[in-house]
Amino acid sequence: MVAGMSYVGPDFDAPEPRPPRRGPLTVAIAALVPAALLGWLVYEAVADTGGRPAGAAPRTGPPAAAPSADDGKLSPSSPAPALSGSLKGKVVLVDAGHNPGNFRHTAEINRPVDIGTARKECDTTGTSTNSGYTEARFTLDVARRLRTILERQGATVKFTQDGDRAWGPCVDERARIGNAAHADAAVSVHADGAAQGDRGFHVILPASVHKGTADTRPIVGPSRDLGERIEDSFTRVTGSKPSNYVGDGTGLDVRSDLGGLNLSTVPKVFIECGNMRDSTDAARLTSGAWRQKAAQGISEGIVSFLRG
């Protein structure tokens, strides 16, 4: 809301004694089988760690909320896209809204920061489903899935936070991270906290703002293009409908009160993937298979935008 599984291979019986001489076909098969098994194991390790190779340095910071069995996993019904390199040289900023640790640092996140048009709190805790599944946990999961998909296509993906800091960052810093990375596209992932019966997703676009430290005029056009492409692909891939309570059915909303958009100098949008307080939307948001579709829908919009 704006506001290590490891594979255990089968037990193999001890090999039977073989004749001392082997034909060339037998030797070739014997060499290929271990290599194929090793390749499969490497793929599983990468997929289950959100695209990070096994053995990579562990991320630091406070432990995140205990994940469900399918948190961060690719859905069996949504096979990973093949490596294509089509986004080589492109930089994408993925901003996982809020932070699981924000609720422990209320003084820090309540500190006002300048967003150009006003001063607002540094960050918020976000919302949650009625059963307690938090927005911060949702956004991290979708962001990690999105990173995996984009990196497999050759993009460089930057995060504002990856559960590797105790709280935040503040909304102004989130914008600066994307600006410093010279991101070709930036997306902030959220989920809403509206009333029961309010359903669907919407993409938030930056208004034309030129006040104080904020000047969105150069990014309004490209941000709308990015947002419209994400709205289209998200609808198609997830089966979700545009919001019935924001955007007049278009799935698009323009705002001038969000620091993450006001202070951005790169094309950027927010996406509210659904309403966590509505039981129908909550059933989707808490499903790992659906979150994989959400990441895929967002990624296809980004790819369409970057390819032009």
Side-chain angles (χ1 to χ4, degrees):
M1 178 183 183
V2 175
M5 186 175 75
S6 61
Y7 173 77
V8 179
D11 294 328
F12 293 101
D13 294 328
E16 296 290 334
R18 300 291 184 191
R21 299 180 62 184
R22 300 180 180 181
L25 180 59
T26 304
V27 172
I29 293 173
L32 288 172
V33 170
L37 179 59
L38 176 60
W40 187 84
L41 290 172
V42 169
Y43 170 78
E44 286 295 299
V46 172
D48 283 350
T49 54
R52 295 300 185 218
R59 298 184 175 103
T60 59
S68 62
D70 56 9
D71 265 6
K73 306 291 172 61
L74 295 174
S75 167
S77 62
S78 303
L83 283 165
S84 68
S86 63
L87 298 184
K88 186 176 181 180
K90 299 296 185 180
V91 178
V92 179
L93 185 282
V94 178
D95 176 25
H98 313 289
N99 183 311
N102 275 359
F103 74 95
R104 300 188 189 94
H105 296 272
T106 54
E108 292 89 342
I109 68 172
N110 285 332
R111 175 175 62 85
V113 298
D114 181 11
I115 66 165
T117 56
R119 292 182 67 80
K120 290 184 68 174
E121 62 268 30
C122 153
D123 202 4
T124 63
T125 58
T127 187
S128 69
T129 65
N130 293 330
S131 63
Y133 181 69
T134 66
E135 181 186 1
R137 181 172 155 190
F138 169 82
T139 63
L140 266 179
D141 181 70
V142 172
R144 288 166 177 166
R145 294 171 189 267
L146 180 56
R147 173 175 61 195
T148 298
I149 296 169
L150 293 172
E151 286 184 340
R152 283 182 175 146
Q153 297 192 63
T156 297
V157 179
K158 301 290 187 181
F159 267 29
T160 55
Q161 60 94 15
D162 193 9
D164 51 359
R165 53 189 295 165
W167 57 276
C170 295
V171 294
D172 55 343
E173 183 182 352
R174 290 174 188 262
R176 285 196 299 270
I177 292 170
N179 298 345
H182 302 289
D184 296 287
V187 176
S188 189
V189 181
H190 288 266
D192 212 351
Q196 171 68 29
D198 290 343
R199 297 188 187 126
F201 76 94
H202 61 279
V203 179
I204 304 174
L205 313 175
S208 181
V209 173
H210 184 212
K211 184 177 181 181
T213 56
D215 186 0
T216 64
R217 292 174 299 174
I219 68 164
V220 166
S223 295
R224 173 169 283 274
D225 184 21
L226 172 63
E228 289 177 346
R229 291 172 189 261
I230 290 176
E231 187 277 331
D232 179 70
S233 60
F234 197 85
T235 302
R236 172 171 41 80
V237 175
T238 66
S240 293
K241 293 182 179 180
S243 170
N244 64 5
Y245 63 101
V246 172
D248 295 324
T250 66
L252 302 172
D253 186 32
V254 177
R255 290 177 60 173
S256 62
D257 62 330
L258 301 176
L261 295 180
N262 286 0
L263 302 177
S264 181
T265 59
V266 301
K268 185 174 184 179
V269 299
F270 281 39
I271 180 167
E272 298 279 5
C273 296
N275 176 18
M276 302 197 92
R277 293 294 184 174
D278 175 75
S279 57
T280 299
D281 276 8
R284 293 181 171 186
L285 298 167
T286 54
S287 162
W290 188 88
R291 292 194 300 273
Q292 183 62 26
K293 291 180 180 179
Q296 185 68 40
I298 296 169
S299 75
E300 289 188 13
I302 294 171
V303 171
S304 174
F305 171 76
L306 293 179
R307 287 178 176 171

